[in-house]
Amino acid sequence: MKASPRQTFGVLLMCLGALIVVFSEKIVFPGLEVLLGIETIVGRESVHYLAGGGYVFTNPGAMVRWMLSVAVVGVSVASFGMWLLWNAPNRDRES
């Protein structure tokens, strides 16, 4: 049994989507935190800068929303991969 390119691409998308979901926290913090800025993610009023140059963010709801939005993207990618895998032509049936 040989996999079609569509099946292979579907499996790769499923794996990529699962990785996005698993690492959604690392994608947001520090990934998107560096790209977009912490004030964009949690809101300017929720960032308190410390004397040593660090900062603390106090809006857990915004952090959860960002992580969930990244996880939803991962689930969407994995779902599309499953759809591709499910609807790919089966080479055993065609023979």
Side-chain angles (χ1 to χ4, degrees):
M1 183 169 130
K2 189 173 182 181
S4 70
R6 191 170 176 176
Q7 288 174 324
T8 305
F9 188 61
V11 170
L12 287 174
L13 284 178
M14 286 171 43
C15 292
L16 178 66
L19 286 173
I20 290 172
V21 170
V22 168
F23 293 111
S24 62
E25 182 179 352
K26 295 293 181 190
I27 292 171
V28 174
F29 300 103
L32 291 177
E33 175 186 1
V34 172
L35 286 174
L36 301 176
I38 190 64
E39 292 177 351
T40 303
I41 291 177
V42 297
R44 184 178 305 264
E45 65 281 349
S46 298
V47 179
H48 298 285
Y49 291 96
L50 304 174
Y55 53 86
V56 177
F57 30 88
T58 60
N59 189 350
M63 294 184 288
V64 170
R65 282 192 299 274
W66 275 90
M67 285 185 279
L68 282 176
S69 65
V70 171
V72 165
V73 169
V75 168
S76 301
V77 169
S79 298
F80 183 66
M82 278 196 254
W83 180 82
L84 277 179
L85 187 62
W86 187 266
N87 290 320
N90 190 349
R91 293 196 175 188
D92 290 339
R93 286 186 279 170
E94 294 174 0
S95 303

